[in-house]
Amino acid sequence: MAHEVVLLDFWPSMFGMRVRVALAEKGIKYEYKEEDLRNKSPLLLKMNPIHKKIPVLIHNGKPVCESLIIVQYIDEVWNDKSPLLPSDPDQRAHARFWADFIEQKVYDTAKKIWATKGEEQEAAKKEFIETFKILEEELGEKPFFGGETFGFVDIALITFYSWFYTYETFGNFSIEAECPKIIAWAKRCMQKESVANSLPDQKKIYDFTVWMKKYFGMD
Amino acid sequence: MAELKLFRTWSSPFALRVVWALNLKGIQYDTIFEDLSNKSSLLLQYNPIYKKVPVLVHNGKPLVESLLILEYIDETWKQTPLLPEDPSERATARFWAKFGDDKVMLSVWNVFIKQGKDQEEAIVTAQENLGFIERQLSGKKFFNGETIGFVDLAFGWLANLLSIWEEICGVTLIDHEKFPMLSEWIQNFAGAPIIKESWPPRDKLITKNQALLEVYTSKEAPK
């Protein structure tokens, strides 16, 4: 087969979702392979021997790892439609900065909101809100972080939206009350088919997290 | 005439990456040295979120985070490309640079600040990571092939800081037998003129890292 695209993924992963959104934005047909992270497939271990993690995009037999690196790869290979990154170096640098900021600041803090209690949880909530307020300021009055069109930074962030109900329920707070513009932006993104079809339902993620906490004895 | 300023410290290995990239491409720029215990208002204005060096300011617009700065430099000045043209090879280069910063650096640093059994475990982890890099080199002169590129600059700290830490602590992490390719890469990279001429003074680096290691080692020591 001339072009073969396979995605090794795990349905609740916000990193995997980024790749799903990027592939959908570009209209790329691919084979989705669900991994059981407690029993990783030989293919995953072969394609990502260093981290043994999803997502992995396999294109014509060659693996690409790390979600934001994969999204950039998709943008560079399928460059005939729906550009995800701007063409101007200044604007590209700006987009990469904010995607990297999201990468550095969101995941670990957000995880602590559902995985910890007491003081540690409160500190995580505070940091989470601070981070999203910074993002809200960057968004400003623009419809998307990319400006008029949905792009790289939007993809980097929107997948966390599927986990918002989980964060809010375990953390006992409202993200909308703290960052209304972020929620407005998220709902705008969810109107896009590429996003709506790639993100699981928020309640499903919550149920999964409840199960995961029990299974790993995190209660 | 484009205005280019680099905010750095004399010792930051991250800032050195930017120095090397600009020098490799033959780009003129001004250097502003920062004292991190007394950051200039300009630095705080240009990098309000992280408040760190390096910061590259091009025509008044700041770029931060060394690997992102390298990407910008490569896209703006096309001579002596740092990243390959092929998207698959570019993705691979980005992957290794990220692996270096996310995992390798910390695992190597841990070897020199931990003691006893913790240090033994740290050595195992660090050498496992270095093994991946060794195999990635697989007979090439540089990670980029015949010439220095993005991944070489990302791992540049290995060609200088590592020997300093090894000297201070009396621990050899990269020996020639276990890591022949990495050892040779270190020689090739450290010896390249553009790289060699920008190393910070070794004696100053030893003094500074001695002090740093003392601070971190005492934090790690069992109480």
Side-chain angles (χ1 to χ4, degrees):
Chain A
M1 212 181 297
H3 289 282
E4 202 191 66
V5 184
V6 179
L7 175 61
L8 305 183
D9 202 348
F10 178 53
W11 70 269
S13 162
M14 60 286 274
F15 305 105
M17 288 175 218
R18 288 168 171 171
V19 183
R20 289 173 233 163
V21 172
L23 290 166
E25 277 288 297
K26 300 274 188 181
I28 299 163
K29 301 245 179 309
Y30 65 99
E31 186 189 345
Y32 179 95
K33 283 198 163 138
E34 185 72 28
E35 284 284 332
D36 175 359
L37 298 184
R38 293 164 296 172
N39 186 20
K40 293 174 182 176
S41 73
L43 182 62
L44 173 59
L45 299 177
K46 178 176 168 210
M47 290 289 152
N48 191 358
I50 292 174
H51 301 300
K52 306 176 178 54
K53 284 186 182 175
I54 57 91
V56 180
L57 188 79
I58 309 173
H59 183 210
N60 293 334
K62 282 198 267 186
V64 188
C65 307
E66 299 294 318
S67 61
L68 292 182
I69 293 178
I70 299 173
V71 173
Q72 286 186 84
Y73 173 83
I74 289 170
D75 203 37
E76 286 172 10
V77 173
W78 288 274
N79 55 13
D80 51 341
K81 71 176 269 203
S82 306
L84 304 175
L85 274 149
S87 48
D88 171 68
D90 269 337
Q91 290 175 27
R92 288 168 80 81
H94 193 83
R96 287 193 179 115
F97 171 82
W98 284 103
D100 180 71
F101 173 80
I102 291 161
E103 203 71 318
Q104 288 196 44
K105 296 285 189 187
V106 181
Y107 180 76
D108 289 329
T109 306
K111 183 173 175 177
K112 286 191 185 149
I113 296 177
W114 62 260
T116 69
K117 293 191 193 118
E119 266 182 50
E120 208 181 341
Q121 190 190 47
E122 285 306 307
K125 271 164 65 178
K126 191 162 171 272
E127 206 184 320
F128 182 92
I129 292 164
E130 269 167 28
T131 298
F132 274 87
K133 281 201 196 292
I134 293 174
L135 287 165
E136 213 177 34
E137 207 186 308
E138 164 56 23
L139 179 66
E141 299 307 314
K142 305 194 295 284
F144 300 105
F145 283 92
E148 290 304 310
T149 49
F150 181 81
F152 191 60
V153 182
D154 304 282
I155 294 177
L157 190 61
I158 189 56
T159 58
F160 286 95
Y161 181 65
S162 63
W163 281 74
F164 275 15
Y165 179 76
T166 302
Y167 303 145
E168 288 174 320
T169 309
F170 279 105
N172 191 29
F173 71 121
S174 159
I175 299 174
E176 183 153 24
E178 302 285 347
C179 303
K181 283 196 175 141
I182 289 288
I183 299 298
W185 158 83
K187 289 183 175 161
R188 204 174 295 130
C189 292
M190 288 295 286
Q191 284 176 0
K192 294 174 68 63
E193 247 184 69
S194 61
V195 178
N197 292 344
S198 304
L199 268 55
D201 176 68
Q202 292 199 37
K203 291 269 168 63
K204 251 188 111 180
I205 299 275
Y206 174 73
D207 290 341
F208 164 75
T209 312
V210 169
W211 169 86
M212 188 171 43
K213 286 186 75 165
K214 277 207 179 76
Y215 181 84
F216 287 105
M218 291 163 87
D219 276 329
Chain B
M1 168 82 133
E3 199 195 65
L4 202 54
K5 288 200 224 294
L6 174 63
F7 288 77
R8 60 173 288 203
T9 58
W10 68 269
S11 60
S12 160
F14 304 102
L16 262 184
R17 292 168 173 173
V18 182
V19 169
W20 291 328
L22 293 169
N23 290 354
L24 277 167
K25 293 193 182 248
I27 302 163
Q28 302 295 326
Y29 61 98
D30 292 325
T31 299
I32 293 126
F33 284 99
E34 284 285 327
D35 171 5
L36 295 185
S37 63
N38 186 20
K39 293 173 187 178
S40 71
S41 53
L42 260 183
L43 176 66
L44 299 176
Q45 176 196 316
Y46 283 133
N47 192 359
I49 289 183
Y50 301 116
K51 305 178 175 55
K52 285 184 187 176
V53 292
V55 179
L56 185 70
V57 183
H58 187 209
N59 293 333
K61 287 196 243 174
L63 289 312
V64 305
E65 298 296 291
S66 60
L67 294 181
L68 302 187
I69 298 175
L70 256 48
E71 295 242 21
Y72 174 81
I73 290 172
D74 212 32
E75 285 177 353
T76 307
W77 292 277
K78 305 279 191 194
Q79 68 274 28
T80 318
L82 301 172
L83 276 161
E85 267 198 49
D86 172 70
S88 176
E89 287 175 33
R90 289 164 78 82
T92 302
R94 287 178 179 133
F95 173 87
W96 286 102
K98 187 176 199 300
F99 175 63
D101 277 9
D102 286 355
K103 300 275 185 208
V104 181
M105 212 179 264
L106 181 62
S107 69
V108 167
W109 177 245
N110 275 338
V111 168
F112 299 103
I113 61 170
K114 292 193 190 279
Q115 284 151 341
K117 192 153 188 297
D118 286 342
Q119 188 182 54
E120 284 170 27
E121 284 171 15
I123 291 176
V124 170
T125 307
Q127 290 193 331
E128 200 178 70
N129 288 337
L130 292 168
F132 288 128
I133 307 171
E134 170 87 8
R135 285 193 284 286
Q136 181 59 18
L137 268 171
S138 62
K140 294 184 292 200
K141 186 173 181 197
F142 297 108
F143 289 99
N144 195 42
E146 280 305 302
T147 53
I148 289 174
F150 188 74
V151 180
D152 302 282
L153 298 190
F155 279 111
W157 60 273
L158 264 181
N160 169 266
L161 271 181
L162 179 66
S163 73
I164 288 173
W165 294 336
E166 284 178 334
E167 186 179 314
I168 295 172
C169 299
V171 175
T172 305
L173 196 55
I174 296 186
D175 70 72
H176 206 93
E177 269 182 54
K178 254 196 183 146
F179 301 100
M181 311 231 201
L182 207 44
S183 304
E184 207 171 312
W185 173 84
I186 287 175
Q187 304 261 25
N188 288 330
F189 184 84
I194 294 264
I195 305 297
K196 204 166 160 175
E197 71 197 17
S198 5
W199 287 133
R202 193 177 173 84
D203 51 351
K204 267 184 96 177
L205 274 177
I206 290 180
T207 311
K208 180 192 166 87
N209 277 276
Q210 213 146 27
L212 253 181
L213 283 164
E214 258 162 51
V215 170
Y216 279 89
T217 311
S218 63
K219 278 191 199 168
E220 290 287 326
K223 306 237 179 311

